[in-house]
């Protein structure tokens, strides 16, 4: 039974210290088992291997699947297509409802599955399946003239449009107006571990049970998505994810391959199946960040005080399932302006479903907004840091609530001091070092602090003053296992090595997704609640075997405040005067994120976010060929992610603070804010270096030679 417990602030000992990763040895010695590495010790005996057959047209119908050649392969044991697949009870989720009819909704859609004794045979078999199509005309290109659909809400459930005051009148009266459009490219999440699932069906007490090891950011979410579609009760599906090699959002929800594994395993008479998505298949199937077009209008007085902010967003969704990125959302709360308007419109295309990628919304939205702010700073001759401080709101402009608390100016000032901002020439194109133009830029960052509902944790007393702590959350490589051990240790008043933490299994108390930078806040609060309740009920000398399961009650006082993290990103850019080559020798982020639970793992998250923002600013771009509907750049050679040679001096620091109204740990979340604003800081630095304003990312060398 789960009780609700009001928490009190944690007395910290281990929290805040540099505890080594508790699973570090498993990882570096190769003993950590990922989704398709589980063997007999985990009950995976004699598995079959599944390979996906994907559509080669972007829209139409499958009119024939000829599997004769594939089935003649000596190691192929089966081919499943829409005529032979197990039926689903519910097909509302158009992304997951695969193999139920002949319709093709996008290029790369799963149209058949091949099962074989080895992965190689499955792959050969998939190449031997002949699929024929009735092809129909498709549309796969986002343009300003086709992004006209108004979604009911934007991710996760925010208003599509907002309109405060009279933006048009304020812009007509403004001394200075910046009116520009900015574009961001399609991006694909590329975690180190591609998506992968092991699945098998058993019968327990006369009921079907589906078990999975899935490379997922949230095991409970996989059950919630799959169980009703398979006509199962949630307790008939068990999902585990003991180790996951990253996700960046793409493993936040189950994609179609997870259902493919469940359906394939249904046909094997109980043999487990392994399905490993390839890197190339990920570009078709496992989510991506939509390209965005942002139309910004800023109105200000002669001193740069904003009177109007308008951010109109155009982006895309898929015909098969809607996803609307909340790109305009940061413009609603970032700066003070009495007149504000935001909107989101979508092109509904014959493409795979866009999805979450690190800081969906904030990343593309703050890129556009923060470049526009730089343009405003130049137009009114105000230093970009001073401009931002002048436009600090007293309360959250969207909700009117006070911030708890908003330390953007502290981040700007502290970062400026460390970066050496005061010696910056105010004019662009003022510094040349040999063949390189040199400049610096700044941008703000923000990310909402989120605590998800539906979390609980279990504390059990073991012998010898030790405790077992269980919660079904997933550590996708962030260090969650480590920081939750620290939180549990402090909450129980024991050293971290007295805590056995058990995670990533739907048989454990429920946990929300490792997403929205909400993991530590949500799961840590549940652990503190369970520990505090346990100690209240059983004291500090409990008998072995006593246990308590609890969830954290929300603090009613927290309703009165707006909770956001903030940051300031500083970049130096060098642009080669003849080739346009861009180098970023220095990147620094200064953040206000509440209390940092572990400086080592936190720094890794923030620096990783900065690197990913640099990568978005200069490199990452998925090219979709609108004639055929597929992504052409479907490997890491053609889709360049920042590598060691691109990443020079990158550092992150944070203010010493604790937000104990938000969580008993005082933490607010750090997974995503590092990417926010970073591309804008780099873009603004390239403008300061060269005097050339590029209004789309990635910024490539040719843009300085035009
Ligand atoms: Mo993150 S993109 O919210 O998993």
């Amino acid at each position: 039974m789960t009780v609700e417990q009001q928490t009190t602030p944690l007395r910290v000992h281990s929290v805040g210290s540099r505890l080594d990763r508790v699973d570090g040895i498993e990882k570096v010695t190769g003993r950590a088992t990922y989704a398709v590495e589980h063997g007999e010790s985990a009950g995976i005996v004699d598995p079959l291997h599944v390979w996906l057959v994907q559509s080669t047209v972007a829209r139409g119908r499958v009119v024939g699947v000829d599997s004769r050649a594939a089935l003649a392969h000596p190691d192929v044991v089966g081919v499943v297509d829409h005529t032979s697949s197990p039926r689903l009870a519910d097909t509302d989720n158009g992304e997951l409802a695969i193999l139920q009819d002949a319709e093709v909704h996008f290029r790369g859609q799963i149209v058949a599955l091949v099962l074989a004794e080895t992965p190689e045979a499955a792959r050969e078999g998939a190449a031997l399946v002949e699929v024929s199509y009735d092809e129909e005309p498709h549309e796969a290109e986002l343009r300003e003239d086709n992004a006209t659909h108004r979604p009911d809400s934007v991710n996760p459930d925010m208003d599509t449009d907002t309109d405060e005051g009279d933006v048009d009148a304020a812009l007509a009266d403004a001394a200075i107006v910046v009116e520009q459009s900015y574009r961001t490219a399609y991006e694909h999440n590329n975690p180190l571990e591609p998506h992968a699932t092991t699945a098998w069906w058993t019968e327990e007490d006369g009921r079907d049970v589906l078990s999975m090891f899935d490379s997922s950011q949230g095991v409970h979410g996989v059950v919630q998505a799959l169980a009703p579609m398979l006509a199962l009760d949630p307790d008939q599906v068990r999902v585990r994810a003991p180790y996951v090699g990253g996700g960046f959002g793409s493993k936040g929800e189950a994609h179609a391959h997870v259902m493919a594994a469940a359906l394939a395993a249904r046909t094997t008479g109980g043999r487990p199946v392994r399905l490993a998505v390839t890197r190339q298949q990920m570009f078709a199937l496992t989510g991506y960040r939509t390209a965005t077009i942002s139309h910004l209008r800023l109105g200000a007085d002669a001193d740069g005080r904003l009177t109007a902010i308008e951010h109109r967003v155009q982006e895309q969704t898929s015909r098969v399932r809607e996803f609307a990125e909340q790109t305009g959302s940061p413009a609603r709360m970032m700066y003070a302006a009495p007149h504000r308007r935001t909107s989101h419109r979508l092109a509904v295309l014959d493409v795979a479903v866009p999805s979450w990628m690190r800081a969906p919304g904030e990343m593309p939205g703050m890129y556009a907004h923060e470049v526009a702010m730089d343009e405003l700073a130049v137009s009114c001759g105000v230093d970009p840091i001073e401009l931002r401080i002048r436009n600090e709101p007293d309360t959250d402009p969207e909700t009117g609530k006070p911030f708890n608390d908003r330390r953007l100016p502290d981040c700007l000032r502290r970062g400026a001091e460390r970066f050496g901002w005061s010696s910056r020439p105010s004019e662009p194109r003022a510094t040349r070092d040999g063949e390189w133009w040199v400049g610096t830029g700044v941008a703000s960052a923000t990310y909402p602090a989120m605590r998800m509902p539906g979390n609980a944790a279990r504390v059990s007393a073991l012998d010898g003053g030790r405790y077992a702590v269980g919660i079904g959350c997933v550590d996708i490589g962030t260090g969650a296992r480590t920081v939750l051990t620290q939180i549990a240790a402090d909450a129980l008043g024991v050293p971290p090595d007295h805590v056995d933490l058990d995670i990533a299994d739907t048989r454990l108390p429920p946990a929300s997704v490792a997403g929205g930078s909400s993991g530590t806040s949500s799961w840590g609060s549940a652990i503190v609640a369970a520990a505090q309740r346990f100690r209240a009920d059983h004291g500090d000398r409990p008998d072995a075997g006593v246990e308590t399961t609890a969830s954290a009650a929300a603090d009613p006082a927290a309703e009165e405040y707006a909770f956001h993290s903030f940051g300031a990103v500083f970049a130096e850019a060098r642009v080669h005067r003849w080739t346009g080559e861009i180098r970023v020798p220095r990147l620094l982020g200064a953040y206000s994120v509440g209390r940092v639970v572990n400086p080592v793992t936190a720094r890794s998250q923030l620096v990783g976010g900065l690197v990913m923002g640099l990568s978005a600013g200069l490199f990452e771009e998925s090219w979709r060929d609108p004639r055929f509907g597929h992504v052409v750049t479907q490997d890491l050679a053609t889709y360049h992610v920042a590598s060691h040679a691109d990443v020079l001096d990158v550092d992150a620091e944070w203010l010493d603070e604790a937000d104990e109204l938000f969580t008993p740990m005082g933490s607010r979340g750090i997974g995503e804010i590092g990417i926010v604003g970073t591309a804008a800081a780099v873009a603004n630095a390239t403008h300061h270096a060269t005097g050339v304003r590029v209004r789309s990312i990635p910024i490539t060398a040719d843009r300085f030679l035009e």
Side-chain angles (χ1 to χ4, degrees), residues 198-404:
T198 300
W200 68 104
W201 291 78
T202 50
E203 213 185 281
E204 285 173 26
D205 307 325
R207 298 166 85 213
D208 289 323
V209 173
L210 169 64
S211 299
M212 293 183 145
F213 287 108
D214 184 37
S215 187
S216 170
Q217 292 174 225
V219 287
H220 298 277
V222 176
V223 172
Q224 282 155 19
L226 265 58
M229 297 182 72
L230 295 162
L232 300 172
D233 290 331
D235 69 346
Q236 288 172 275
V237 185
R238 181 184 189 185
V239 181
R240 282 172 280 176
Y243 292 93
V244 174
F248 302 122
S250 68
K251 297 172 184 170
E253 290 192 304
H255 293 292
H257 66 281
V258 184
M259 182 61 85
L263 293 174
R266 198 71 176 125
T267 69
T268 64
R271 282 178 78 177
V273 303
R274 287 182 181 153
L275 193 166
V277 179
T278 66
R279 181 70 58 186
Q280 292 184 332
Q281 290 169 339
M282 284 170 63
F283 283 83
L285 280 172
T286 56
Y288 61 96
R289 193 197 298 280
T290 174
T292 68
I293 307 165
S294 280
H295 305 284
L296 258 295
R297 290 199 294 169
L298 303 179
D301 67 17
D303 297 329
R305 281 194 180 76
L306 287 163
T307 52
I309 300 171
E310 182 182 68
H311 192 166
R312 290 186 298 116
V313 177
Q314 295 186 289
E315 50 199 15
Q316 79 180 41
T317 185
S318 77
R319 218 177 284 284
V320 68
R321 187 184 183 205
E322 184 166 293
F323 176 82
E325 179 136 340
Q326 72 277 31
T327 304
S329 66
R332 297 173 182 171
M333 50 64 62
M334 197 58 208
Y335 298 112
H339 307 279
R340 299 188 321 278
R341 185 191 290 152
T342 62
S343 66
H344 298 83
R345 296 294 181 271
L346 309 177
V348 184
L349 302 178
D350 302 300
V351 296
V353 190
S355 175
W356 299 327
M357 181 164 170
R358 205 174 200 166
E362 278 75 17
M363 184 286 205
M366 285 293 277
Y367 154 72
H369 198 352
E370 290 297 301
V371 176
M373 288 296 281
D374 201 63
E375 301 210 45
L376 179 62
V378 171
S379 297
C380 56
V382 176
D383 175 81
I385 292 178
E386 173 59 26
L387 179 80
R388 286 167 173 84
I389 291 170
R390 271 182 205 175
N391 285 294
E392 272 287 285
D394 296 329
T395 55
D396 178 359
E398 191 180 18
T399 62
K401 294 178 179 180
F403 286 100
N404 185 56

Side-chain angles (χ1 to χ4, degrees), residues 583 611 640-648:
R583 302 289 286 163
V611 169
H640 182 64
V641 174
S643 65
H644 285 86
D646 305 307
V647 178
L648 302 167

Side-chain angles (χ1 to χ4, degrees), residues 125-278:
L128 293 169
V129 174
E130 296 255 5
V131 184
S132 41
Y133 303 90
D134 243 351
E135 195 172 352
E136 289 167 25
H138 67 267
E139 186 173 19
E141 186 177 31
L142 165 65
R143 298 185 311 272
E144 290 193 27
D145 66 11
N146 68 358
T148 54
H149 166 67
R150 183 186 187 281
D152 289 338
S153 64
V154 297
N155 178 60
D157 53 9
M158 307 174 92
D159 290 338
T160 304
D161 298 347
T162 58
D163 199 351
E164 292 265 335
D166 188 339
V167 165
D168 296 318
L171 284 164
D173 289 345
I176 297 167
V177 173
V178 171
E179 178 169 0
Q180 294 293 349
S181 296
Y182 306 88
R183 287 174 179 257
T184 64
Y186 294 109
E187 289 191 307
H188 277 80
N189 319 52
N190 271 286
L192 206 54
E193 181 203 18
H195 298 62
T197 306
T198 300
W200 68 104
W201 291 78
T202 50
E203 213 185 281
E204 285 173 26
D205 307 325
R207 298 166 85 213
D208 289 323
V209 173
L210 169 64
S211 299
M212 293 183 145
F213 287 108
D214 184 37
S215 187
S216 170
Q217 292 174 225
V219 287
H220 298 277
V222 176
V223 172
Q224 282 155 19
L226 265 58
M229 297 182 72
L230 295 162
L232 300 172
D233 290 331
D235 69 346
Q236 288 172 275
V237 185
R238 181 184 189 185
V239 181
R240 282 172 280 176
Y243 292 93
V244 174
F248 302 122
S250 68
K251 297 172 184 170
E253 290 192 304
H255 293 292
H257 66 281
V258 184
M259 182 61 85
L263 293 174
R266 198 71 176 125
T267 69
T268 64
R271 282 178 78 177
V273 303
R274 287 182 181 153
L275 193 166
V277 179
T278 66

Side-chain angles (χ1 to χ4, degrees), residues 25 31 79 117 123 129 132 138 291 362 389 411 423 602 688 692:
I25 297 203
R31 279 185 279 148
V79 175
E117 296 290 346
R123 187 173 202 163
V129 174
S132 41
H138 67 267
E362 278 75 17
I389 291 170
C411 296
S423 59
H688 187 242
V692 177

